[in-house]
Amino acid sequence: MIELALEYSELSSRELAFKITDKQGIYLSESSVYRILKQRGLIAAPNQILLATSNEFKNKTQFVHQMWSNQVYEIHELQNI
């Protein structure tokens, strides 16, 4: 597992767990991979974009089924930043 972690250092612990299952045919959970990598000092900084929340929507809905549309729109807008 450590060899794969060094070879694919750009992968998160979740992605590495899937890669281990695909390449070696053994199952390790994401938390086990994270724990092992952390013990060996191989955990990199998270590469995820953290989103801040607000108390209310910027685009308020007027109809019942508009909620999902607003959420998809806001995700699309965040990706274009």
Side-chain angles (χ1 to χ4, degrees):
M1 186 201 84
I2 301 301
E3 293 84 20
L4 277 177
L6 294 173
E7 184 178 345
Y8 298 102
S9 60
E10 73 281 357
L11 297 180
S12 69
S13 56
R14 175 179 290 156
E15 294 167 326
L16 189 58
F18 284 117
K19 182 70 76 177
I20 291 168
T21 303
D22 289 343
K23 291 264 186 188
Q24 296 182 348
I26 58 172
Y27 173 76
L28 283 173
S29 68
E30 174 189 356
S31 59
S32 294
V33 171
Y34 181 85
R35 189 175 5 112
I36 293 168
L37 293 179
K38 187 171 181 176
Q39 287 173 348
R40 294 193 176 19
L42 297 174
I43 292 294
N47 58 358
Q48 301 143 341
I49 299 172
L50 301 176
L51 303 176
T53 60
S54 62
N55 291 333
E56 59 183 59
F57 289 105
K58 290 187 280 183
N59 304 322
K60 303 220 184 235
T61 60
Q62 297 175 357
F63 304 102
V64 176
H65 298 294
Q66 279 184 319
M67 183 61 72
W68 69 270
S69 177
N70 279 349
Q71 291 171 345
V72 170
Y73 172 77
E74 289 175 7
I75 290 171
H76 176 60
E77 288 299 311
L78 286 172
Q79 290 176 348
N80 290 331
I81 292 177

